[in-house]
Amino acid sequence: LSADSASLKNKKLGIIGLGNVGNALIKNLERTGYTVTSILDINKETYSEFEDRAFSTPDNPKSLAEEVDIVFTGLPMPHHVKAVFEGETGLLEGLSEGKIWIDHSTTDYEQTEEMSVLVEERGGRMLEAPVTGGLEALKKGQMTVFVAGDEGVAAEVRPMMDDIYSNVIYTGRMGTALVPKVLSNMLTCVHNLAMGEAFMVAKKAGVDMRTMFDCIRASAGNSFVFETGGPMLMQGTYDPSFTIALQCKDNRLGYQMATKHKVPIEVLGHAMQAYNKAMYKYGDEAPCYIAPKMLEEACHTDLRCEEFKDWEYSIQNVDGSSVIRHHGIDIKRTDRKELSDFEV
């Protein structure tokens, strides 16, 4: 245990937003020995899972910030972050000298830049830290986190971030972490749409779905989305852990970035419109990988595969890459000796 890690474990931590990110964050912090003392969410029913803890549940963000040393937020939309931040009882009012705010929300990076200036004027410090990798990985502490802001502050909390995430990447000044996070999410849309088309062509051509999965994951066409979204497509779950409304929000943020910097995004833009169409058709709460269902309906053919009904995944960080490990399906495992043969 390093001195820095020990010091961080003595600090009081507060969590605002107990959705998927906030809920998993509390458990990962506690699992690794950190001290969560205060929680806050507009939906008080989210507190029920933590009734056995002696958590403080202050009335507003200002009060929570006053109680703790480090505040984490994990909120759905930019306007939610803004609502928590502003006002007489807002987060900003409680971020006094020395306090740190770590924002895990995927939000508007220009809004984040503006907020960080106001935080610094009060003597507080801020980091943006969007996470990526999927809910199941988040629950297990296997996510990647991008961190931006003052390098000294990032270094100060780095031992904690290393403990609760599998891969921590410092991206630079405030605003630079949200750019790759948003663009990564946009890329998943391109992969998902193309994957659905590839599976449909294969099925119409008489190729077994499990065989198609094994062939692509062993070839140049493979991707993180193929290895996770593919099984979810074959289950018919389409990743219910993340809504299509949140995905479309990220697409809009990416479009705004591209517009600001005058970059034409023909492929990403097409994916954005396809996802909008799916959201309008299936509703805001539909799962984020549901867009290929439109193709299934148009072709009157589903892409289910019984072999994936019990499938789950975990993530292993290998040389900085997120490698998917599959569970609940019959699969050949690479043993440690085989892996070592590739080491230089």
Side-chain angles (χ1 to χ4, degrees), residues 21-94:
V21 172
N23 182 290
L25 180 60
I26 291 171
K27 295 171 183 176
N28 287 337
L29 286 165
E30 291 187 327
R31 175 177 52 81
T32 50
Y34 293 91
T35 308
V36 178
T37 60
S38 306
I39 59 174
L40 177 63
D41 195 285
I42 194 170
N43 178 10
K44 306 308 179 189
E45 292 181 3
T46 59
Y47 297 169
S48 61
E49 187 174 347
F50 305 103
E51 287 178 347
D52 60 334
R53 275 60 148 208
F55 289 156
S56 167
T57 55
D59 293 331
N60 54 66
K62 176 187 175 183
S63 296
L64 181 139
E66 290 173 340
E67 293 179 359
V68 302
D69 302 302
I70 300 175
V71 180
F72 289 89
T73 49
L75 302 165
M77 302 276 189
H79 69 267
H80 295 125
V81 179
K82 189 178 178 69
V84 163
F85 183 77
E86 295 181 339
E88 293 182 358
T89 59
L91 180 61
L92 177 62
E93 293 299 312

Side-chain angles (χ1 to χ4, degrees), residues 191 212-227:
H191 289 217
M212 177 64 175
F213 176 76
D214 289 339
C215 288
I216 298 301
R217 68 181 288 263
S219 65
N222 192 32
S223 69
F224 182 100
V225 172
F226 187 86
E227 290 210 49

Side-chain angles (χ1 to χ4, degrees), residues 218-247:
S219 65
N222 192 32
S223 69
F224 182 100
V225 172
F226 187 86
E227 290 210 49
T228 58
M232 292 174 189
L233 172 59
M234 290 186 283
Q235 288 178 332
T237 61
Y238 307 102
D239 193 2
S241 69
F242 193 64
T243 69
I244 196 168
L246 289 176
Q247 176 63 71

Side-chain angles (χ1 to χ4, degrees), residues 50-325:
F50 305 103
E51 287 178 347
D52 60 334
R53 275 60 148 208
F55 289 156
S56 167
T57 55
D59 293 331
N60 54 66
K62 176 187 175 183
S63 296
L64 181 139
E66 290 173 340
E67 293 179 359
V68 302
D69 302 302
I70 300 175
V71 180
F72 289 89
T73 49
L75 302 165
M77 302 276 189
H79 69 267
H80 295 125
V81 179
K82 189 178 178 69
V84 163
F85 183 77
E86 295 181 339
E88 293 182 358
T89 59
L91 180 61
L92 177 62
E93 293 299 312
L95 291 173
S96 55
E97 188 73 31
K99 293 183 183 288
I100 298 175
W101 172 26
I102 300 174
D103 187 18
H104 281 317
S105 313
T106 301
T107 185
D108 181 344
Y109 80 101
E110 291 181 307
Q111 174 178 288
T112 300
E113 290 173 330
E114 293 168 0
M115 289 178 174
S116 70
V117 173
L118 297 175
V119 170
E120 290 172 7
E121 288 176 352
R122 291 190 62 86
R125 297 172 292 168
M126 179 185 179
L127 295 171
E128 62 170 346
V131 295
T132 183
L135 178 60
E136 291 307 311
L138 178 61
K139 290 177 180 177
K140 300 167 187 171
Q142 298 173 337
M143 296 279 275
T144 291
V145 60
F146 304 145
V147 180
D150 181 86
E151 191 169 5
V153 181
E156 183 179 337
V157 301
R158 180 65 183 253
M160 176 172 59
M161 304 300 262
D162 283 334
D163 282 343
I164 61 176
Y165 297 111
S166 67
N167 193 14
V168 181
I169 301 176
Y170 177 70
T171 61
R173 64 173 176 77
M174 186 66 68
T176 57
L178 283 165
V179 174
K181 170 59 197 292
V182 166
L183 293 176
S184 173
N185 279 12
M186 290 191 83
L187 280 170
T188 68
C189 299
V190 176
H191 289 217
N192 185 40
L193 291 166
M195 175 188 71
E197 293 177 359
F199 270 121
M200 185 60 72
V201 172
K203 184 160 189 176
K204 290 284 191 178
V207 178
D208 174 75
M209 290 288 91
R210 172 60 196 270
T211 300
M212 177 64 175
F213 176 76
D214 289 339
C215 288
I216 298 301
R217 68 181 288 263
S219 65
N222 192 32
S223 69
F224 182 100
V225 172
F226 187 86
E227 290 210 49
T228 58
M232 292 174 189
L233 172 59
M234 290 186 283
Q235 288 178 332
T237 61
Y238 307 102
D239 193 2
S241 69
F242 193 64
T243 69
I244 196 168
L246 289 176
Q247 176 63 71
C248 288
K249 173 264 297 184
D250 292 346
N251 292 345
R252 290 192 298 273
L253 291 172
Y255 175 78
Q256 290 166 9
M257 292 177 190
T259 301
K260 176 182 177 180
H261 297 290
K262 297 182 172 59
V263 178
I265 51 168
E266 296 180 14
V267 176
L268 292 175
H270 172 76
M272 180 177 74
Q273 292 303 323
Y275 265 65
N276 286 345
K277 182 179 179 180
M279 180 174 66
Y280 304 151
K281 182 176 178 66
Y282 302 117
D284 289 0
E285 297 302 310
C288 66
Y289 282 169
I290 202 169
K293 185 176 181 181
M294 295 188 294
L295 183 63
E296 292 179 299
E297 292 173 350
C299 293
H300 306 290
T301 304
D302 71 61
L303 297 171
R304 303 297 86 77
C305 179
E306 183 67 16
E307 290 187 53
F308 289 90
K309 65 182 178 62
D310 297 319
W311 171 91
E312 295 179 337
Y313 77 97
S314 60
I315 299 177
Q316 184 175 4
N317 177 17
V318 178
D319 299 336
S321 293
S322 294
V323 176
I324 304 302
R325 306 308 301 265

